Amino acid sequence: MSVNYAYYPGCSLECAGRPYDESLRAVFRSLGVPIVELDDWNCCGATMYMSVDETVSLAVGARNLALAEHQGFRELIAPCSGCYTVLLKTNRFLRESPALKAKVDLVLGKAGLRYDLTVNVRHPLDVLVNDVGLDAVALAAKRALNGLQVAPYYGCQIVRPERGFDDREFPTTMDRLFERLGASCVYFPHKTRCCGTMLMTTFPDVALKLVGEILESAIANGAHCVITTCPMCQVNLEAYQKRLARKFGIAHDIPVLYFTQLLGVAFGCSEKELGLKRNLVPLNAPLAELVSSPAR
Amino acid sequence: MIQEQRLPGSLPESERELRRRFLQDVLLVPGSEKVSRCLQCGACTGSCPVSYAMDISPRTVVALFRAGQIEEILRSRTIWICASCYMCTTRCPQGIQITDLLYALKRTAMDAGLFPYRFPVYLLSKSFVRIVNRYGRNHEGLLLAGYYLPQNPFALLRLLPLGWKMFLRGRVGLFPRKIKGVKAIRMMLAAAHTLEMPSRSHDVEYEKNMVGYRAVG
């Protein structure tokens, strides 16, 4: 049985999240699971629109769902946690509230679109573990991640608001995935603690404290790297490590990878395919050793 | 100055107007009627990673809401500090969707213009909406420019080292690209705005006996 997956990269994956985009495509290529980029997708509206205008925000998100339906897809992969939540929420609101659905239908009609609620919004982690399956992933692996200590950071948005595919406070999907590939996932109580998101721009002091706590927890528990599922978390955790050191006097020096980048390493993809050079914090010894080890 | 004559327990005009708008917003959210079940246990405040930076805790927000003091919530820092991590909603034993309630409060405060001049969250939101309306997608560089230039251009300079590092690694898009359907999106947005309007200007009868949690319970 083959499923048609539409791929909705989201705005972040075009700029700061480029390594996520590249490594995600490489991972699905290695697995032989075709994903097709949704044609002419638009911004999901993010939480910014949610905090301004409800019908507007739902309509902006619903256009993508309508496009996916129109282009013949049943499953829409949204790797950015923000997009994933917003699109999932849009879907739920439209399914639960006929009043909102009627309004959005009217608005979509202006663009010559309609949406019949047939599209499922999925996160790539969910697709990889629950559709493709751990066995198929393990079979495609060309490198064992033995000896690597990983802190899997899920963030808030993929597990919590919409009761996605895992526990809301202590998810284990990524842990299971990487344990299967030979890595060991460290005890990491901050795995779903908020990274502060846009507070880094609006109230930086608040966000810096949150980021500091997360990194400290990962380092204290012996992680070699943090892996993330979200472009926002990745930038927040990675880009402010020097500023944290200046502010709190503690060095938080730890590479922060997208989970697809580490997965790609296990699949034997090249450094370039995975965009590893684009990360701000250079790979440390255990990671560099792994990347340069011969693939099977 | 002549003071407004009011019966004991009745609300000033401004408060009534705010409440009417707010209830219309909040009642649209599926599951919003649960606010009336709040036990005041404080699980929301205890779970919130940023409650220490708030002036009114999430628990107090619900209490104030039920007491009918919506304006006080709208004038607080709280609604703007919320990072929407949904921990409160997850742990609430009564299933109240506190994060969505705060979103509704944010929307109301923005509509009513109840925030300080050059308020960061508002500027960021405005910058974002402007870019998406023009191009159909967000562009990180323009977003930050639109955010910092009106308030503090020097802060933009401080971002340059990070921006340069990101640029060297190919993680900065220089020019925003328009999507093909951008005209259709603008038409949709215009239609959506007109749909929002009428719902905000009727129902005077309806709010008369609706105070605090009785209104949503």
Side-chain angles (χ1 to χ4, degrees):
Chain A
M1 186 195 78
S2 80
V3 189
N4 277 344
Y5 293 106
Y7 172 46
Y8 174 86
C11 311
S12 282
L13 272 72
E14 290 197 317
C15 313
R18 251 177 92 182
Y20 196 8
D21 177 60
E22 290 165 341
S23 57
L24 185 107
R25 288 176 197 263
V27 160
F28 277 90
R29 217 169 28 239
S30 314
L31 283 167
V33 179
I35 51 171
V36 183
E37 186 170 335
L38 185 68
D39 186 40
D40 208 38
W41 54 270
N42 60 275
C43 168
C44 68
T47 52
M48 292 290 156
Y49 261 114
M50 271 293 175
S51 62
V52 181
D53 226 332
E54 191 144 54
T55 313
V56 179
S57 66
L58 288 176
V60 167
R63 178 176 179 270
N64 295 307
L65 299 172
L67 283 179
E69 194 173 77
H70 183 69
Q71 292 167 23
F73 297 106
R74 294 293 295 272
E75 311 280 327
L76 182 71
I77 298 183
C80 166
S81 299
C83 305
Y84 173 73
T85 298
V86 168
L87 293 176
L88 212 57
K89 191 176 196 165
T90 306
N91 231 359
R92 179 169 66 84
F93 275 18
L94 294 180
R95 281 176 182 159
E96 284 177 8
S97 162
L100 287 172
K101 172 83 167 62
K103 278 186 177 181
V104 169
D105 277 345
L106 212 74
V107 174
L108 283 176
K110 298 280 174 201
L113 289 167
R114 54 176 286 153
Y115 178 48
D116 292 327
L117 305 171
T118 60
V119 176
N120 292 321
V121 180
R122 307 287 301 275
H123 193 270
L125 181 62
D126 176 23
V127 171
L128 287 171
V129 173
N130 299 322
D131 284 13
V132 177
L134 289 179
D135 292 334
V137 170
L139 217 60
K142 295 199 170 69
R143 257 187 208 131
L145 301 178
N146 291 341
L148 191 70
Q149 310 254 39
V150 178
Y153 178 69
Y154 296 78
C156 332
Q157 303 291 319
I158 66 166
V159 286
R160 256 198 300 279
E162 295 299 319
R163 290 174 184 270
F165 49 90
D166 205 341
D167 189 78
R168 294 195 287 174
E169 288 196 51
F170 214 76
T172 51
T173 311
M174 244 196 303
D175 300 60
R176 281 187 287 139
L177 177 62
F178 286 98
E179 295 265 350
R180 184 67 188 264
L181 296 170
S184 52
C185 293
V186 302
Y187 169 69
F188 190 35
H190 282 66
K191 58 162 74 164
T192 60
R193 182 87 163 172
C194 177
C195 74
T197 64
M198 288 319 270
L199 291 183
M200 197 54 100
T201 339
T202 48
F203 298 98
D205 288 347
V206 178
L208 278 174
K209 185 170 173 288
L210 294 173
V211 169
E213 284 170 6
I214 294 164
L215 293 175
E216 227 172 274
S217 165
I219 293 168
N221 288 306
H224 296 139
C225 64
V226 177
I227 48 173
T228 64
T229 58
C230 168
M232 183 86 235
C233 304
Q234 202 269 347
V235 171
N236 268 3
L237 291 180
E238 177 182 62
Y240 301 96
Q241 294 190 1
K242 288 227 174 80
R243 212 160 124 195
L244 276 171
R246 274 202 305 272
K247 199 171 157 69
F248 299 114
I250 315 163
H252 301 84
D253 231 358
I254 185 165
V256 183
L257 305 183
Y258 291 105
F259 82 101
T260 43
Q261 287 183 305
L262 191 56
L263 209 52
V265 171
F267 288 163
C269 302
S270 71
E271 232 176 298
K272 194 165 173 238
E273 271 181 298
L274 300 174
L276 285 171
K277 289 250 158 66
R278 298 189 194 277
N279 290 27
L280 292 174
V281 181
L283 301 183
N284 52 14
L287 272 171
E289 204 177 300
L290 198 67
V291 171
S292 57
S293 71
R296 172 165 63 82
Chain B
M1 195 182 117
I2 305 163
Q3 272 216 317
E4 193 189 344
Q5 291 277 313
R6 288 196 273 128
L7 288 170
S10 71
L11 298 161
E13 186 65 33
S14 64
E15 183 74 30
R16 277 219 304 274
E17 173 61 20
L18 275 175
R19 184 156 318 156
R20 191 181 57 72
R21 284 191 206 178
F22 175 66
L23 289 177
Q24 276 173 356
D25 267 347
V26 109
L27 286 173
L28 270 177
V29 179
S32 55
E33 70 289 344
K34 291 181 190 153
V35 183
S36 62
R37 298 191 202 160
C38 176
L39 302 167
Q40 289 290 299
C41 70
C44 45
T45 304
S47 308
C48 179
V50 291
S51 59
Y52 75 93
M54 293 175 171
D55 47 358
I56 301 177
S57 73
R59 182 186 64 80
T60 320
V61 167
V62 180
L64 284 171
F65 173 67
R66 301 204 299 188
Q69 305 198 13
I70 290 169
E71 185 161 351
E72 199 176 329
I73 311 175
L74 295 183
R75 292 194 183 281
S76 73
R77 243 163 90 91
T78 299
I79 49 176
W80 309 107
I81 293 274
C82 170
S84 64
C85 78
Y86 289 86
M87 199 53 116
C88 49
T89 309
T90 302
R91 290 187 177 164
C92 177
Q94 295 294 76
I96 301 170
Q97 292 173 344
I98 302 158
T99 315
D100 290 338
L101 183 82
L102 289 176
Y103 267 132
L105 284 158
K106 247 185 257 190
R107 277 201 293 276
T108 315
M110 282 209 209
D111 287 348
L114 280 183
F115 44 81
Y117 181 58
R118 286 182 178 165
F119 188 63
V121 181
Y122 174 73
L123 286 174
L124 191 65
S125 218
K126 216 173 83 173
S127 170
F128 180 86
V129 169
R130 200 171 47 223
I131 293 163
V132 174
N133 289 358
R134 179 175 297 173
Y135 300 104
R137 287 181 194 171
N138 180 29
H139 182 270
E140 286 155 0
L142 280 182
L143 176 71
L144 292 176
Y147 168 69
Y148 283 114
L149 284 179
Q151 50 164 348
N152 184 3
F154 296 105
L156 203 56
L157 290 179
R158 258 194 318 200
L159 272 183
L160 278 183
L162 176 61
W164 178 241
K165 271 195 281 182
M166 296 287 267
F167 174 75
L168 287 180
R169 288 166 178 77
R171 289 173 72 176
V172 176
L174 281 187
F175 303 104
R177 277 179 298 177
K178 254 186 209 168
I179 64 166
K180 285 179 280 175
V182 72
K183 274 202 182 127
I185 289 187
R186 278 183 215 149
M187 263 147 55
M188 280 171 51
L189 290 175
H193 279 299
T194 55
L195 277 185
E196 290 273 311
M197 296 300 188
S199 74
R200 293 184 195 288
S201 55
H202 56 82
D203 286 351
V204 185
E205 287 295 305
Y206 154 87
E207 121 277 352
K208 259 187 193 156
N209 46 15
M210 299 239 169
V211 174
Y213 73 93
R214 268 198 293 145
V216 283

